Structure formats: C-alpha cells, structure tokens
C-alpha cells in the first residue's frame, strides 16, 4: 500500500507548498521510491477550465485531458511523472459528485452531510489509483483556518486514522517572518497556525518554515516546543534565488531523510543533485541572453503563462543562454510601434488565447516576424493567428478569419463540424463553455524532410491540446502553394497540427501546447530549437 504525505499551509498562501511538494517528490524518487502528487483545491469551480488566467494563473492540461491547477505543472516538471485526471479535484467537483449521487437516490434516503458524505468522497479521491505507488504526496490548497478548506482537513484527519497513523505523515508549511523594526524573527504566526491545525485534530509531524533568512536554532527549538514537533523535523526553507534550487535546499535540510525515517524506510539510492546544480548555474551565472517577446493578453499576471515561461527557460538550458522574457500586451501593440517595441527581440512567441481582444496586435506581430525573418513560434491561438495573417496577406483572402470572433468572414479557422467541403459554414455551434474542447494528448504525423521532423527526430509525436477551433484543412493546398506547409497532421489527415514556413529561418505554428511537456531536466526539443534559432538570429 502507498504511504500518504499530506501537505498543508499556514499563516499566508503562496508560500510554495506546490514547489515544496514537488521537491520532496524528486528527492524521494531519487531515493528509489515511486511517487505521485495530488492536489485538493478548495474552490467551488468544478474544474479550473473556465477560470480566468488573470485571477488564477494558467490552466494546466494533463495527457488524459484534465484541466487542472497550475501546481500540477510544477509537480510534473520536478517529478517527471505525468499527472492524470485523478490527481486534482476541487470542492466544486466533490459536491457535484455527491449531489449527482443524491439525485439518483444512492444515499437511500439518508440525510446527506459534509461529514461523512463529502469527506468520504474526498477520501475516495485521495486513495483512488494509488496501489502502485510507494508515496502519494497530497497538497491541500489554501491555508488551514479557511472555511473552504475545512472539509479537506477533516478528511485527511479521518484518512490518517483509517489507514493508521504510521502510514500517513502531515507536513505543515508556514511563514516565519522577520520584523525589521525590532530586528526579530517571529515564531508566533507558526504557533498559531499549528494550534489551528491541532484544534481540528491534526498534529503535524514535520513543520517547514519559510523565511527570508536562516532560522537560528533557538527559534527552531521554540517552534519545536510550542508545536510539539521534534526539533529535527522543524525544517527551514529560505527563499531561493531560482526555483531549481529548491530540491538542493530541501536536501540540505534532510527533508527526504526525515520523511523516510518517519515511515521507517531506508534510502535505496543516493540523491544526485548535479542536474539541478547545472541548471541553477546557467540561470544565475550565464551572461549570454536572448530576448524573447511573448505577445499575449495576459501579460500582467506572472503565472498566466507559467508552463510557457518555464519551457522557454528550459530551452535556454540546452543552449547555455539565459532567456529573457519580454511580455508585450497584444492589446496595446500599435502597428506603428511594432518595429520599435520588437527592436532587440530575437524570437517572437504568440501563446494560446481566447476571444477577439488583442488579435490585431498579434497578427501584426506575426507579419513582422514573417517579413523580417525573426524566429517565430505560434502556439495554439498563435498558430491560428499565423494562418489568418498568411491568408490575408499572402493568399489575398482579405475576409479570412476565425469563427471564434467573426461569424461573417471566411472561416480559415473554425469548429470541426462547422464547414463543408468547400470551407463554408454549415452549422451554428453555441455550446456550454465547460468541457467542449479538444483536450489532452493526441497524435500527430510529421511530414518527411520538414523542419519539425528534424526537431523531434521522429515522425509520430504526442502532444497535449486545449482548444475548440481548428485550422480548416480545405485550404491546405492554397497555403502550401505559397510556402506555408502543413507539416504535421492528425493521423487521419483531417486536422492540421503543425505549420511551417519555407524560406524563413524558423517559423513554426503548433495547434497543441508543447510547453506542458517540457521539464527542466529534459527540455522540450521545440523550445530548445526555437531558442537556438533566436540565439543565432543576427
Ligand atoms: N481560442 C482558440 C480555440 O479555442 C485557441 C485556444 C488556445 O490557444 N488554447 O481553438
């Protein structure tokens, strides 16, 4: 049976529970154990699919097509294990499931309550699909004391009791602030947060203290004493210079050993930190930089393109350069300013997106990249915009558009069931927003002698999708005659998955999201190649 490690947070949110969990997963894997990571999200949305990136950061997509919290991206990047649908659940989904069951009469007329029915459903989720793992690390979103996370905390308490405390470990991550005015490190918020946790019946086994400076022994002792946790298990995590240092820093603090000791297990292997050290060095010490412009709608929120930022950075590792991300708001990008704004840019990237706002700026930027032979990568919406730009300006189809934002133009982009053989719209398609997309991993066949095939080094690839609209295959010949090649198609040949431009050093559009599969220790070839092209530009 798997052993379960629950990670809760205290004092404030955003302390890095996800990163701590992911780092622990890496360390336990290096010790020779099989690990899965899971997340319980306290919000009421049934899944994060319809949540705005402005509010919540990116929506991460798994191979099996789940739209999940971005923390699952951290998990994958650090543990290299692909997450599944069964690794993320929200309060909304839990209630949805329970209420559906109630409507079907499955509770046999009983009063349906938070305890035991909601908590039972949570416990079922935690345990599901865990038999082949040595460890399940389960992060509870939000912080202890929030009304919303209470059923989760109650459920993990019950769960530990059900499986026996020796099989479950509680880690609590808190903030230990430094007060400048009094020149003091404060342990009181941690004490209070642990008190809160204990009032629900959970005694943490390990406390991880996030701090901007090293915590002196006397303070650790104080935390140990007041929180009833062995001094060895009061662990600090001092702000790191880059997230890739996190596994190194947790290893120094012996987090993996403390966990194994708790479960009375031995390390089967020694940990190798050299890959993390290598990339940390590149990030911190490399002088050579390339500037990549990300032209999108959600540039103000740091996490809106989390996986993309990561994948670009990883592309830099393979080329020993630091990738400098220049975020440009597509809505603010005026035609006459493009040249100036993109002056020192060596690569232009148009990320995924939805809706009409900002499309004009994106299309102009693509035209600029195409004409000036600047390396260009269009992802999902970015590829669709590249198709529209080319249709309008090279095929002279001035009405070319996407039916996502113009129902009256020529739909070079549209819903699959929307056009007939000649590319004409045949059907209205208003649907619910949730759950109507092509989601998850799909195969694509790559064309012989194409740039994309040389990048991947094989002819069949699997990548993750998240979109409703598709490039209209009926226009393939027209595009190819003018040099825009459909170099990747779905295996049935009906859906264009990749485009590339002849007579351009590096111009590629992909209908999928390669960023979801890039990992710091194995950068995605598409991003490595893009950064290489950018490095060689000018
Ligand atoms: N809005 C586009 C679609 O639904 C693109 C989506 C995306 O970029 N992820 O097809």
């Amino acid at each position: 049976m798997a052993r379960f490690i629950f990670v809760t947070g205290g004092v404030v949110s955003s302390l890095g529970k996800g990163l701590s969990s992911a780092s622990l997963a890496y360390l336990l894997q290096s010790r020779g154990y099989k690990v899965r990571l899971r997340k319980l999200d306290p919000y009421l949305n049934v899944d994060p699919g319809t949540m705005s990136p402005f509010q919540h950061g990116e929506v991460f997509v798994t191979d099996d097509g789940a739209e999940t919290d971005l923390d699952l991206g951290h998990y994958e990047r650090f543990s290299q294990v692909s997450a599944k649908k069964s690794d993320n659940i929200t309060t909304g989904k839990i209630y949805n499931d329970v209420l559906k069951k109630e409507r079907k009469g499955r509770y046999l007329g009983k009063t349906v309550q938070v305890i035991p029915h909601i908590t039972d459903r949570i416990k079922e989720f935690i345990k599901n699909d865990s038999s082949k793992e040595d460890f399940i690390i389960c992060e509870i979103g939000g912080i202890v004391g929030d009304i919303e996370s209470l059923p989760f905390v109650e459920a993990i308490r019950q769960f530990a009791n059900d499986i026996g405390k020796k099989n479950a470990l509680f880690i609590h991550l808190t903030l230990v602030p430094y007060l400048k005015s009094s020149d003091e490190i404060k342990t009181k918020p941690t004490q209070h947060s642990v008190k809160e946790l204990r009032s629900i019946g959970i005694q943490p086994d390990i406390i991880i203290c996030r701090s901007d400076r090293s915590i002196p022994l006397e303070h650790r002792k104080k935390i140990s004493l007041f929180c009833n946790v062995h001094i060895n298990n009061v662990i600090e995590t001092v702000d790191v210079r880059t997230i890739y240092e996190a596994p190194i820093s947790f290893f120094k603090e012996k987090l993996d050993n403390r966990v194994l000791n708790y479960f009375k297990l031995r390390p089967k292997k020694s940990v190798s930190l050299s890959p993390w050290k290598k990339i940390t060095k590149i990030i911190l010490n490399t002088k050579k930089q390339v500037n990549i412009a990300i032209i999108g709608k959600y540039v103000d929120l740091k996490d809106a393109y989390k996986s993309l930022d990561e994948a670009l950075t990883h592309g830099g590792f393979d080329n020993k350069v630091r990738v400098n991300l220049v975020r440009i708001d597509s809505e603010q990008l005026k035609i006459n300013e493009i040249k100036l704004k993109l002056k020192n840019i060596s690569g232009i990237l148009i990320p995924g997106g939805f809706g009409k706002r900002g499309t004009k700026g994106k299309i102009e930027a693509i035209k600029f990249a195409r004409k000036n032979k600047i390396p260009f990568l269009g992802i999902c919406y970015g590829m669709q915009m590249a198709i529209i730009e080319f249709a309008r300006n090279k095929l002279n189809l001035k009405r070319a558009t996407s039916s996502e934002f113009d129902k009256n133009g020529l739909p070079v982009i549209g819903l699959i069931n929307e056009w007939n053989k000649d590319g004409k719209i045949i059907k209205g398609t208003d649907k619910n927003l949730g759950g109507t997309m092509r989601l998850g991993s799909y195969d694509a066949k790559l064309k012989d002698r194409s740039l994309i095939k040389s990048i991947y080094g094989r002819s069949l690839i699997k990548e993750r999708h998240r979109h409703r609209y598709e490039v209209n295959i009926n226009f393939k010949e027209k595009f190819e005659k003018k040099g825009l090649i459909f170099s990747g198609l779905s295996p049935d040949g009906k859906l264009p998955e990749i485009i590339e431009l002849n007579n351009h050093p590096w111009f590629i559009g992909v209908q999928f999201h390669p960023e979801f599969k890039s990992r710091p220790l194995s950068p995605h070839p598409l991003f490595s190649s893009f950064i290489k092209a950018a490095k060689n530009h000018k």
Side-chain angles (χ1 to χ4, degrees), residues 501-512:
L501 193 57
N502 284 344
N503 300 319
H504 188 289
W506 209 102
F507 187 106
I508 290 181
V510 291
Q511 186 58 79
F512 45 80

Side-chain angles (χ1 to χ4, degrees), residues 389-408:
E389 189 280 318
F390 200 81
R392 287 182 188 169
N393 299 323
K394 290 292 281 184
L395 306 186
N396 215 15
L397 300 170
K398 295 294 175 214
R399 288 175 53 250
T401 190
S402 165
S403 48
E404 178 168 359
F405 53 81
D406 183 358
K407 300 274 184 250
N408 301 315

Side-chain angles (χ1 to χ4, degrees), residues 136-151:
I136 300 282
I137 301 178
C138 184
E139 177 189 344
I140 289 88
I143 60 169
V144 168
D146 288 349
I147 290 177
E148 287 181 324
S149 54
L150 205 54

Side-chain angles (χ1 to χ4, degrees), residues 338-339 342 348 364-375 504-505 507 537-538:
I338 284 188
K339 207 171 160 188
L342 300 179
I348 295 177
E364 283 306 322
I366 295 169
K367 185 173 168 191
F368 186 79
R370 178 173 61 78
K371 287 194 148 180
N372 294 286
K373 302 213 183 305
I374 301 168
H504 188 289
F507 187 106
H537 179 69
K538 274 186 279 186

Side-chain angles (χ1 to χ4, degrees), residues 291-459:
N291 295 331
I292 301 292
I294 301 182
I295 305 176
K297 217 163 58 168
Y298 313 115
V299 286
D300 290 337
L301 183 84
K302 200 170 101 265
D303 281 347
Y305 301 116
K306 188 72 202 157
S307 296
L308 185 61
D309 297 353
E310 282 288 318
L312 287 164
T313 307
H314 305 164
F317 298 157
D318 261 357
N319 293 287
K320 303 218 166 33
V321 289
R322 243 175 48 217
V323 178
N324 187 23
L325 305 174
V326 183
R327 294 164 215 277
I328 298 176
D329 184 347
S330 50
E331 275 190 274
Q332 309 295 330
L333 194 60
K334 305 275 173 318
I335 298 176
N336 52 0
E337 294 168 1
I338 284 188
K339 207 171 160 188
L340 189 71
K341 281 204 174 162
L342 300 179
K343 209 172 104 203
N344 297 318
I345 296 297
S346 314
I348 295 177
L349 190 144
I350 311 279
F354 292 84
K356 182 160 189 173
R357 269 193 302 132
T359 48
K360 219 168 146 195
K362 289 179 189 173
I363 291 173
E364 283 306 322
I366 295 169
K367 185 173 168 191
F368 186 79
R370 178 173 61 78
K371 287 194 148 180
N372 294 286
K373 302 213 183 305
I374 301 168
F376 166 80
L377 176 56
I379 293 183
C380 205
Y381 211 40
M383 156 161 160
Q384 298 175 357
M385 293 305 116
I387 284 281
I388 294 176
E389 189 280 318
F390 200 81
R392 287 182 188 169
N393 299 323
K394 290 292 281 184
L395 306 186
N396 215 15
L397 300 170
K398 295 294 175 214
R399 288 175 53 250
T401 190
S402 165
S403 48
E404 178 168 359
F405 53 81
D406 183 358
K407 300 274 184 250
N408 301 315
L410 176 69
V412 285
I413 315 291
L415 297 170
I416 311 176
N417 56 354
E418 200 180 62
W419 52 68
N420 67 10
K421 281 209 307 320
D422 309 315
K424 298 223 176 70
I425 295 191
I426 51 173
K427 187 162 159 226
T429 43
D430 282 340
K431 283 189 190 163
N432 281 337
L433 285 184
T436 56
M437 287 200 253
R438 176 143 81 107
L439 281 170
S441 182
Y442 284 83
D443 291 353
K445 268 193 178 159
L446 310 186
K447 194 180 163 96
D448 283 341
R449 289 181 298 281
S450 61
L451 173 60
I452 196 75
K453 191 168 168 186
S454 73
I455 291 170
Y456 276 92
R458 60 199 140 98
S459 41

